[in-house]
Amino acid sequence: MFMLDRVFNPEGKSLTPMRGFKYSSWSPLGCDANGRCLLAALTMDNRLTIHANLNRLQWVQLVDLTELYGERLFEASYRLCKADAPCGELGDFPEFQRRHSMQTPVRMEWSGICTTQQVKHNNECRDVGSVLLAVLFENGNIAVWQFQLPFLGKESITSCNTIESGISSPSVLSWWEYEHNNRKMSGLIVGSAYGPVKIIPVNLKAVKGYFTLRQPVVLWQEMDQLPVHSIKCIPLYHPYQKCSCSLVVAARGPYVFWCLLLISKAGLNVHNSHVTGLHSLPIVSMTADKQNGTVYTCSTDGKVRQLIPIFTDVALKFEHQLIKLSEVFGCVRTHGIAVSPCGAYLAVITTEGMVNGLHPVNKNYQVQFVTLKTFEEAAAQLLESSVQNLFRQVDLTDLVRWKILKDKHIPQFLQEALDKKIESCGSTYFWRFKLFLLRILYQSMQKAPSEVTWRPSHEDAKILISDSPGMGSTEDDQEEGTSKQASKQSMGDTGKGVDIDDTAEDSLHQSSDAGGREPMVEKLLEIQAQIEAVEMHLTREHMKRVLGEVYLHTWITENTSIPTRGVCDFLMSDDGYDDRTARVLIGHILKKMNKQTFPEHCSLCKEILPFTDRKQAICSNGHIWLRCFLTYQSCQSLVYRRCLLHDSIARHPTPEDPEWIKRLLQGPCTFCDSPVF
């Protein structure tokens, strides 16, 4: 058995080494330094690592949990508690198998972000975000790692506790998170290759507001040799019992096992059953939409089932319908499915199916996308969203983007509904949504580029020298060449969030060259004016927030490195802007500043940098510095950050910055909600 193990003998029997990944798991949003997701990856050689996307398109390994857990086991002499019998010699093969099974991961899953309390040196308590990673091993043990957020590496590991599940031949793992009367309960759902499913209590010490079960709860105890392939836990609201409940679904062979957990005065109520008649082959993948509880399953024959839970007086039932991928993609084999965070798309991994009764010689794996929502449903969900963050609903905004690009106009019902939301609520989220719609409409009005913009040109660059004799080029030719070159550049940068002024000018040149279409020019100018007005409103709202932070965190007249006086003057420079809140706030700040200005100075020539533009600062000698959109400071360094859509510029925090400025610099883009890199 040892010689045939490909992990220990990768070159044995002249076989190719084991490369690739067994399993991967994404953490919730907001776990890394940029506010995005961490990736836990389990390789074919049983090594568990955590990766983060610290820079754009650059993944970095932060920690190797297999190595750290092995060190912990070695220090404990491979015993979970001191009462265990002393371990044998490593030369004994059963002892070798025991040590191997207790540190070979099978599955790992992330919990939701929870809050822990940290005690400072002055005995003050502060809430610190943390996340848990549960790792299931071959022997049934579960290691629960606790990480402090943002996760930076080995130094962010808070604790590691090992739990004995008592499950033989474990196959799958999932977190059970339930909220009842503002009390959060948690546990771990473990499935076995023999069939049983059980919830294991997890004692979360020092985790604020979390509780767990007193003892394990068996959801399915029959060892019917139907292996549990996948488990999903969906929080729902019971319309008849008028309380929250938890729906657990598990794929067991060709069937779907479901269990409804409900806490009442009598205790924990458990209702379970199986859904049969879904597939003729075993289920290979299952996913769930946590927005409405819809479950999707697929088998290798290219059939996808949609299961919709419907509550009854006591428990629930499922209505299921078949999604035939063959009608969309032809004859295909499916290997996995996943639903997007807000349920707009279903991603399907497919390969070619049988042709004339023969399997294809080569397998070409493709990721296909199937829309699950209409444009109207996506727009309504964006308008009524409780998240109020465009970046976290990017699958819904993608459906809206596609519709506007196709029809080249914003539907009237969406415009009217958005205007009503802005008038009644005034939240900046709806202003950002309006800016998104206007930018997509502006992009749809532009002429598509005639050549691929990302492909490098092999033509020699031509330089126009107007003073050279004998060139034979007139000013008109030069202007025409310049406008064409600027037009191509704008087309390449339109999707990257460049300034609207440049793209508007270039598109105007295109329109006039195409035949002087006056209505199109006027339409583009009108959209450009609306975009500038929305951007200015969002800028002013964020300026008020920055000034509020300055007022709250300054007791005396001090230089906070934020151009406070310049921001105040910029807000009051427009006579048409009449905001009583802003005027009162500025009055208090100017009174506290006591006629001090604290201007910024150019690092090259030491001249004063006036605050005349929200995007850049220009000194009297012509030195240009970009301004940080989060604090409105000038970025006088060679390294700065940019939002994901290249919409805004932000500076890096420095060690001398106070905590409130560092907190401001952690914010997302004020125009598109994207994180900043």
Side-chain angles (χ1 to χ4, degrees):
M1 291 178 65
F2 177 81
M3 295 301 296
L4 292 176
D5 195 312
R6 294 186 61 190
V7 175
F8 299 105
N9 301 283
E11 298 178 359
K13 306 298 181 181
S14 301
L15 297 175
T16 56
M18 299 182 69
R19 296 176 179 174
F21 296 91
K22 282 185 179 180
Y23 192 70
S24 62
S25 179
W26 290 98
S27 75
L29 270 174
C31 290
D32 71 345
N34 294 318
R36 302 184 75 191
C37 299
L38 297 170
L39 176 63
L42 178 60
T43 59
M44 296 293 289
D45 58 352
N46 301 323
R47 187 162 293 275
L48 175 59
T49 54
I50 296 180
H51 304 258
N53 184 205
L54 298 181
N55 295 320
R56 182 171 171 82
L57 304 180
Q58 179 184 357
W59 286 88
V60 179
Q61 177 179 318
L62 297 180
V63 69
D64 187 341
L65 293 183
T66 301
E67 182 179 352
L68 294 180
Y69 194 70
E71 293 175 357
R72 288 173 175 264
L73 291 176
F74 177 76
E75 294 174 358
S77 300
Y78 296 93
R79 294 183 296 177
L80 293 182
C81 60
K82 296 181 180 179
D84 292 346
C87 59
E89 296 294 332
L90 188 59
D92 189 10
F93 189 63
E95 175 64 20
F96 175 84
Q97 286 182 311
R98 188 185 75 89
R99 295 189 188 183
H100 177 258
S101 64
M102 71 188 304
Q103 53 186 324
T104 301
V106 177
R107 282 287 190 273
M108 63 282 179
E109 294 294 342
W110 297 89
S111 72
I113 296 178
C114 48
T115 304
T116 59
Q117 286 190 340
Q118 188 180 65
V119 181
K120 295 183 178 181
H121 296 291
N122 56 358
N123 289 332
E124 289 185 2
C125 293
R126 71 184 184 105
D127 293 339
V128 178
S130 64
V131 68
L132 303 174
L133 177 65
V135 184
L136 178 65
F137 294 97
E138 278 188 357
N139 66 343
N141 292 346
I142 302 173
V144 180
W145 297 84
Q146 186 174 1
F147 304 133
Q148 183 176 334
L149 300 181
F151 184 75
L152 303 176
K154 186 177 180 180
E155 63 275 9
S156 299
I157 298 177
T158 305
S159 64
C160 177
N161 300 313
T162 303
I163 305 172
E164 295 186 41
S165 67
I167 293 286
S168 58
S169 187
S171 60
V172 70
L173 176 74
S174 178
W175 279 94
W176 176 66
E177 294 177 330
Y178 182 84
E179 187 171 353
H180 176 69
N181 292 336
N182 295 326
R183 298 179 65 182
K184 298 179 181 179
M185 300 185 66
S186 66
L188 286 167
I189 310 173
V190 184
S192 170
Y194 297 142
V197 182
K198 185 165 64 171
I199 299 181
I200 309 298
V202 179
N203 188 13
L204 301 180
K205 295 180 180 180
V207 177
K208 185 179 180 181
Y210 268 80
F211 302 88
T212 188
L213 300 171
R214 295 180 181 178
Q215 58 187 2
V217 177
V218 178
L219 304 182
W220 184 257
Q221 62 181 359
E222 298 293 334
M223 301 186 68
D224 47 15
Q225 305 301 318
L226 286 176
V228 183
H229 179 273
S230 177
I231 296 178
K232 301 294 180 184
C233 181
I234 310 167
L236 296 174
Y237 180 79
H238 203 298
Y240 296 100
Q241 301 293 334
K242 305 296 182 182
C243 64
S244 59
C245 59
S246 179
L247 176 63
V248 177
V249 290
R252 302 179 68 245
Y255 313 119
V256 171
F257 166 75
W258 64 267
C259 182
L260 185 64
L261 302 172
L262 185 68
I263 294 180
S264 64
K265 295 181 180 179
L268 181 63
N269 298 327
V270 180
H271 305 273
N272 57 16
S273 183
H274 281 81
V275 182
T276 60
L278 298 176
H279 300 277
S280 58
L281 295 175
I283 296 172
V284 295
S285 183
M286 181 178 67
T287 185
D289 182 3
K290 294 189 176 182
Q291 303 282 334
N292 52 18
T294 305
V295 180
Y296 300 88
T297 61
C298 79
S299 55
T300 56
D301 55 0
K303 294 181 180 179
V304 177
R305 286 279 182 177
Q306 181 187 34
L307 287 81
I308 303 174
I310 299 177
F311 284 95
T312 61
D313 294 339
V314 180
L316 56 80
K317 62 180 181 179
F318 283 93
E319 284 189 357
H320 53 87
Q321 57 185 10
L322 179 64
I323 301 177
K324 292 184 179 180
L325 298 181
S326 58
E327 297 178 356
V328 183
F329 307 125
C331 183
V332 294
R333 294 171 63 92
T334 51
H335 302 272
I337 56 175
V339 67
S340 60
C342 296
Y345 288 101
L346 180 71
V348 188
I349 301 178
T350 63
T351 56
E352 296 90 340
M354 297 180 66
V355 179
N356 298 326
L358 299 175
H359 291 283
V361 179
N362 299 318
K363 287 185 178 181
N364 297 318
Y365 289 86
Q366 292 183 335
V367 181
Q368 315 275 6
F369 291 91
V370 182
T371 56
L372 300 176
K373 293 181 183 293
T374 62
F375 163 76
E376 290 77 12
E377 292 173 339
Q381 191 169 339
L382 284 169
L383 289 173
E384 302 297 333
S385 172
S386 60
V387 179
Q388 297 209 342
N389 186 297
L390 294 177
F391 174 70
R392 297 194 176 198
Q393 305 174 94
V394 68
D395 53 340
L396 297 176
T397 58
D398 188 74
L399 282 177
V400 175
R401 177 190 292 110
W402 174 81
K403 178 70 174 179
I404 296 176
L405 287 175
K406 179 183 177 183
D407 298 345
K408 298 185 183 302
H409 76 277
I410 302 175
Q412 187 67 26
F413 83 94
L414 180 56
Q415 280 186 336
E416 295 176 355
L418 187 57
D419 291 339
K420 288 182 180 179
K421 287 287 185 180
I422 291 176
E423 291 177 3
S424 61
C425 179
S427 172
T428 55
Y429 164 74
F430 298 111
W431 285 93
R432 291 192 296 271
F433 189 23
K434 182 176 182 179
L435 178 62
F436 166 79
L437 297 177
L438 291 173
R439 285 178 169 178
I440 299 303
L441 178 61
Y442 188 90
Q443 184 181 356
S444 67
M445 295 291 182
Q446 291 181 327
K447 183 180 178 182
S450 59
E451 59 184 17
V452 181
T453 56
W454 55 264
R455 184 175 298 162
S457 176
H458 298 287
E459 299 179 359
D460 295 334
K462 298 180 180 179
I463 303 175
L464 298 176
I465 305 176
S466 58
D467 296 336
S468 299
M471 290 297 294
S473 60
T474 62
E475 293 182 358
D476 295 337
D477 296 336
Q478 295 177 15
E479 291 177 359
E480 182 180 359
T482 305
S483 64
K484 289 182 178 179
Q485 184 179 3
S487 172
K488 292 182 179 179
Q489 181 68 22
S490 68
M491 285 300 179
D493 293 339
T494 298
K496 299 181 180 179
V498 295
D499 293 342
I500 296 300
D501 300 339
D502 302 335
T503 54
E505 185 178 353
D506 299 335
S507 58
L508 293 182
H509 280 298
Q510 290 179 356
S511 302
S512 59
D513 292 342
R517 293 176 293 176
E518 293 295 334
M520 180 62 69
V521 175
E522 294 178 358
K523 183 68 174 177
L524 286 172
L525 288 174
E526 180 184 352
I527 299 174
Q528 176 190 346
Q530 295 179 10
I531 290 175
E532 291 176 351
V534 176
E535 285 185 350
M536 184 57 66
H537 176 82
L538 290 172
T539 300
R540 287 168 175 162
E541 290 298 316
H542 187 67
M543 282 182 173
K544 289 196 299 184
R545 183 194 168 197
V546 172
L547 291 179
E549 293 288 337
V550 171
Y551 178 74
L552 289 176
H553 294 92
T554 53
W555 297 99
I556 59 175
T557 304
E558 61 176 308
N559 187 3
T560 61
S561 76
I562 290 180
T564 308
R565 187 59 181 261
V567 175
C568 294
D569 295 341
F570 184 84
L571 277 177
M572 295 293 101
S573 60
D574 188 2
D575 297 333
Y577 178 66
D578 187 14
D579 190 335
R580 186 176 182 275
T581 305
R583 292 186 180 276
V584 171
L585 178 61
I586 290 173
H588 286 299
I589 290 177
L590 295 181
K591 183 179 179 181
K592 184 178 290 188
M593 290 184 66
N594 195 18
K595 298 183 180 180
Q596 297 290 332
T597 57
F598 300 122
E600 292 182 297
H601 295 272
C602 177
S603 60
L604 297 179
C605 61
K606 307 304 178 184
E607 291 292 329
I608 293 179
L609 289 173
F611 197 103
T612 56
D613 191 351
R614 59 184 174 88
K615 292 184 178 180
Q616 61 184 11
I618 306 175
C619 72
S620 58
N621 291 326
H623 300 136
I624 302 176
W625 303 103
L626 298 175
R627 285 202 178 276
C628 171
F629 75 96
L630 293 172
T631 61
Y632 300 104
Q633 299 165 291
S634 56
C635 301
Q636 300 192 48
S637 62
L638 298 178
V639 181
Y640 52 84
R641 300 180 297 157
R642 207 164 187 183
C643 85
L644 189 65
L645 298 183
H646 286 192
D647 210 13
S648 306
I649 299 296
R651 73 177 184 90
H652 285 277
T654 57
E656 56 270 13
D657 285 337
E659 288 296 326
W660 62 275
I661 290 185
K662 292 180 180 179
R663 190 167 57 250
L664 279 175
L665 292 173
Q666 292 175 355
C669 178
T670 55
F671 294 146
C672 61
D673 288 331
S674 297
V676 184
F677 290 86

